[in-house]
Amino acid sequence: MSQKPAGSSPRDRTREDVFRHIQTADRATRARIVELSGLSRSTVNHAVSRLLADERVTETQAEGGGPGSGRGRPAAILRVVRRDSPVAAIDFGHNHVNVALGDSLGSPIAEERVDLDVDLRATEAMDHAARLLDGLRVSAGIDNLTAVVVGVPGPLDTGSELVRSPTILSSWVGLDPRKELEQRLGVPVHAENDALLGAYGELHLGAGRPYADFLYVKVSHGIGAGLVIDGRPYRGSQGFAGEIGHTPLQGHTELCRCGNRGCLETVVSVSALAAQIAHTHPGVETGLRFPLQVNDPVTDRILDDAGRTLGGVLAAFCNLLNPEALIVGGELGASTGALVQGITTSVSRYAQPAIGAGLEILPAGLGTRAELLGALRLATTLAMH
């Protein structure tokens, strides 16, 4: 049976928010958690009590203070309990498979990546992922995993758990990635859209931590978005929210893999921009590796123009959703600041002034690893419930 992420009720979400602050705070006292979270003292105390009862955290008296010290009784320190519950993540991109092992807190232990045409070779991609993960597990001396989370670069139906993308992931249509990988790994697996996992990673570990409402955009071989509303990832009624890569662009006629012309990803994607960079840089191969190491005015102009095109589309979504932040990830988002600058220019021009004025636009804090680290983090949550 598929595992669904815990934390659906407001009380569960509050507890997970407090747990996240305990994980990341330098000195996690109850007072410090109140300050960081903005929650009331009674709410934090209730959440901490539940976490202590569930043995997810411990509370120990700090050294120093006490009688004669002049400082009174020192505040007790909250610490996360490290369990021997290793987890794993699989990140399928359109052109790669990336796998990682993580400890019980979701911190990476080992990673490995292979380049592969994932769109057209679904079975081979899942076979590769299983072999890579088994190899890492054996090398790390880990006998059993408690949970595996997999990211798929396309829409997953939350009801049937099947891939529903005949034009984007043609070889995956009708497959259940969770079931397929459980058969290969013998471990509980949870599947999500890759951009949603990127948003989850940024929410808990990256640039999204200060924000309760933000839009994460993965700009890579394809373009996808992950939406966070009130501190929770939003999937839509069927799980298809965030499929923005095939938004049609007026005046563009480039043929897209989906069968239509002028889709956003035909103009703003790794393959499209690699071709432009190769054309303007004699001797540079079209198979450029991203994130780019090239940093010159011509490349920056290409990325800035692409950002302006993408920003025009994103401005409409910002007008609809009014997020606090727009976080740009993926291989193109991590290449230089030029893409983000171009996005900022267009959003500032086309978004409603009040919406644009209250919007932070910034690169992903986790870079190209947002999806993988988000999957590891979600796996730890699943392992705890």
Side-chain angles (χ1 to χ4, degrees):
M1 180 180 295
S2 173
Q3 298 186 49
K4 299 298 182 185
S8 57
S9 73
R11 183 168 292 179
D12 287 338
R13 294 197 299 273
T14 298
R15 186 167 63 253
E16 293 308 313
D17 186 43
V18 169
F19 183 74
R20 174 169 61 87
H21 285 298
I22 294 171
Q23 282 183 298
T24 56
D26 293 332
R27 186 179 176 84
T29 63
R30 296 192 187 212
R32 178 61 174 155
I33 301 306
V34 169
E35 177 184 343
L36 292 171
S37 66
L39 299 169
S40 69
R41 183 177 297 276
S42 61
T43 300
V44 168
N45 285 338
H46 184 270
V48 168
S49 296
R50 284 293 306 275
L51 292 170
L52 289 169
D54 292 342
E55 298 183 346
R56 295 177 63 187
V57 302
T58 61
E59 189 171 31
T60 56
Q61 201 70 29
E63 295 182 1
S69 68
R71 289 182 288 152
R73 184 177 180 179
I77 303 298
L78 294 161
R79 293 184 175 87
V80 172
V81 175
R82 290 183 176 270
R83 294 188 177 93
D84 185 18
S85 304
V87 296
I90 302 173
D91 171 36
F92 289 112
H94 288 290
N95 289 76
H96 73 261
V97 178
N98 200 6
V99 303
L101 292 177
D103 62 19
S104 59
L105 298 181
S107 300
I109 297 172
E111 301 177 33
E112 192 165 351
R113 171 182 167 132
V114 62
D115 292 330
L116 183 70
D117 186 343
V118 169
D119 294 5
L120 300 178
R121 300 156 71 178
T123 300
E124 185 177 346
M126 286 188 278
D127 288 342
H128 262 292
R131 285 196 294 269
L132 289 173
L133 201 53
D134 279 339
L136 289 181
R137 184 182 54 77
V138 171
S139 297
I142 294 173
D143 294 327
N144 297 299
L145 298 170
T146 54
V148 177
V149 170
V150 54
V152 177
L156 282 168
D157 191 316
T158 52
S160 67
E161 302 188 63
L162 302 180
V163 176
R164 295 269 297 275
S165 181
T167 56
I168 303 173
L169 295 172
S170 56
S171 68
W172 292 72
V173 177
L175 291 178
D176 182 338
R178 175 192 63 81
K179 186 180 295 183
E180 293 280 344
L181 287 163
E182 283 184 344
Q183 291 173 351
R184 288 167 171 81
L185 297 170
V187 177
V189 173
H190 176 81
E192 285 281 5
N193 172 264
D194 62 340
L196 190 84
L197 289 175
Y200 193 85
E202 290 296 320
L203 171 66
H204 290 284
L205 304 166
R209 285 182 290 180
Y211 309 106
D213 300 272
F214 67 85
L215 181 65
Y216 169 81
V217 183
K218 180 184 178 182
V219 193
S220 187
H221 290 86
I223 301 176
L227 179 61
V228 172
I229 298 176
D230 194 22
R232 292 183 297 161
Y234 177 76
R235 295 171 177 80
S237 63
Q238 295 175 277
F240 303 155
E243 292 297 322
I244 67 171
H246 299 277
T247 302
L249 296 176
Q250 187 174 4
H252 286 272
T253 60
E254 296 88 342
L255 181 64
C256 183
R257 58 182 165 174
C258 74
N260 291 326
R261 290 184 177 271
C263 291
L264 179 60
E265 74 169 43
T266 66
V267 180
V268 185
S269 67
V270 164
S271 57
L273 298 191
Q276 291 184 50
I277 293 168
H279 181 71
T280 56
H281 292 72
V284 173
E285 298 292 331
T286 56
L288 285 169
R289 294 301 298 263
F290 288 79
L292 283 173
Q293 300 303 314
V294 180
N295 186 16
D296 61 80
V298 174
T299 300
D300 282 348
R301 175 61 183 271
I302 290 170
L303 289 168
D304 182 83
D305 284 347
R308 288 170 186 250
T309 299
L310 177 56
V313 173
L314 296 177
F317 291 111
C318 290
N319 284 338
L320 174 66
L321 300 168
N322 188 24
E324 293 178 273
L326 174 58
I327 300 173
V328 185
E331 291 161 298
L332 289 176
S335 290
T336 70
L339 185 88
V340 176
Q341 182 56 51
I343 292 171
T344 302
T345 299
S346 281
V347 171
S348 298
R349 179 179 179 183
Y350 296 114
Q352 289 295 309
I355 290 174
L359 179 69
E360 296 286 340
I361 303 176
L362 62 164
L366 303 178
T368 59
R369 301 174 74 222
E371 287 70 29
L372 192 70
L373 296 179
L376 282 177
R377 180 58 183 263
L378 179 56
T380 64
T381 301
L382 295 174
M384 289 176 179
H385 294 85

